[in-house]
């Protein structure tokens, strides 16, 4: 039972480069989320999705894009990376409200450094 | 706007001590509250989830309580062990149609000294 899987685990980019972070979940969850975690700032929501083909902006969406083409996958893209995007990125997923306990599950994180 | 505060930011206790971690939130209109644990360099693991209609939830040595009207939750850890050392985060889901994301506190970093 894999749960929420994030790839890659680590990445170093140069300013201006692009990359895509992949999140995959095998629990048939409707909702998926992308967060970033920075020292002293806590967890901040970047974008989220309430179902296949839908996305919505979170607290800090600028500089990021997302896509949810398949229910089990949620992609986070950086089109032109900036040093301010150096962070640890977490993906999470859960069932829709009213379905089971509504627990949110997290991936192990992606550590991204932008030089 | 819902805000979640966890005090203290860090806590150090000797092994065997019972301890309480605090979480407060500004808007009592919540759907549920979750406590998570995060080990260094790892993701978050859900410990306990309390629905808004519940007063407490227990799992092993952990007990979480919820006082929605006063905007407070506590996580009680009995007979603490060095393996309990981690950051503990509290998060609330605002009450609405069901789409609202969790609002997180910044966590309490717990060290249990052997």
């Amino acid at each position: 039972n894999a749960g929420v899987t994030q790839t890659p685990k680590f990445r170093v980019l140069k300013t201006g480069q692009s990359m895509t972070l992949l999140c995959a979940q095998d629990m048939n969850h409707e909702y998926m989320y992308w967060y970033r975690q920075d020292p002293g700032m806590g967890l901040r929501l970047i974008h989220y999705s309430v179902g296949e083909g839908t996305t919505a902006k979170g607290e800090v969406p600028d500089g990021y894009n997302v896509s949810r083409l398949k229910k089990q996958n949620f992609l986070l893209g950086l089109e032109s990376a900036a040093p301010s995007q150096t962070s640890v990125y977490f993906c999470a997923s859960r069932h829709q409200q009213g379905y089971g306990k509504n627990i949110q599950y997290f991936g192990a994180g992606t550590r991204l450094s932008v030089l | 706007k819902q805000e979640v505060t966890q005090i203290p930011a860090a806590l150090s206790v000797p092994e065997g001590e019972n301890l309480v971690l605090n979480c407060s939130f500004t808007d009592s209109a919540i759907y549920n509250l979750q406590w998570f644990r995060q080990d260094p360099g790892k993701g978050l693991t859900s410990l306990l989830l309390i629905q808004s209609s519940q007063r407490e939830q227990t799992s092993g040595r952990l007990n979480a309580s919820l006082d929605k009207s006063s905007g407070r939750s506590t996580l009680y850890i009995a007979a603490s062990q060095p393996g309990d050392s981690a950051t503990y985060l509290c998060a609330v889901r605002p009450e609405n149609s069901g789409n609202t994301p969790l609002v997180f506190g910044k966590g309490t970093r717990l060290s249990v000294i052997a």
Side-chain angles (χ1 to χ4, degrees), chain A residues 16-99:
Chain A
Q17 286 185 319
S18 63
M19 77 163 294
T20 300
L21 282 67
L22 171 64
C23 176
Q25 51 91 7
D26 61 0
M27 296 172 281
N28 201 32
H29 286 167
E30 292 77 19
Y31 294 175
M32 297 187 74
Y33 306 86
W34 275 108
Y35 296 87
R36 60 178 289 174
Q37 187 175 40
D38 303 287
M41 302 294 290
L43 272 168
R44 292 183 291 171
L45 183 65
I46 304 171
H47 286 280
Y48 64 102
S49 168
V50 300
E52 184 178 320
T54 73
T55 62
K57 293 181 180 180
E59 182 184 355
V60 288
D62 294 341
Y64 305 94
N65 56 75
V66 288
S67 64
R68 183 105 181 263
L69 299 180
K70 294 183 179 181
K71 186 177 184 180
Q72 63 268 34
N73 295 336
F74 194 28
L75 278 62
L76 177 70
L78 286 72
E79 289 187 349
S80 179
S84 62
Q85 294 178 304
T86 294
S87 186
V88 181
Y89 292 86
F90 289 101
C91 176
S93 70
R94 68 173 177 99
H95 278 302
Q96 64 189 5
Q97 206 128 306
Y99 186 101

Side-chain angles (χ1 to χ4, degrees), chain B residues 18-30:
Chain B
N18 302 325
L19 60 100
V20 174
L21 304 180
N22 297 298
C23 171
S24 62
F25 45 96
T26 54
D27 188 340
S28 62
I30 65 168

Side-chain angles (χ1 to χ4, degrees), chain A residues 31 33 35 37 40-43 45 48 50 59 90 94 97-98 100-109 111, chain B residues 1 31-32 34 36 38 40-44 46 49 51 57 89 93 96-102 104-106:
Chain A
Y31 294 175
Y33 306 86
Y35 296 87
Q37 187 175 40
M41 302 294 290
L43 272 168
L45 183 65
Y48 64 102
V50 300
E59 182 184 355
F90 289 101
R94 68 173 177 99
Q97 206 128 306
K101 280 196 167 184
N102 211 229
I103 293 171
Q104 190 153 313
Y105 295 86
F106 280 78
R111 294 184 178 277
Chain B
K1 178 186 173 185
Y31 184 76
N32 61 38
Q34 278 188 249
F36 293 88
Q38 185 176 27
K42 305 288 186 182
L44 280 71
S46 181
L49 183 150
Q51 301 291 357
Q57 282 286 320
L89 293 98
R93 189 173 308 285
N96 77 334
S97 65
N99 292 345
T100 308
L102 286 170
F104 282 86
K106 292 184 179 179

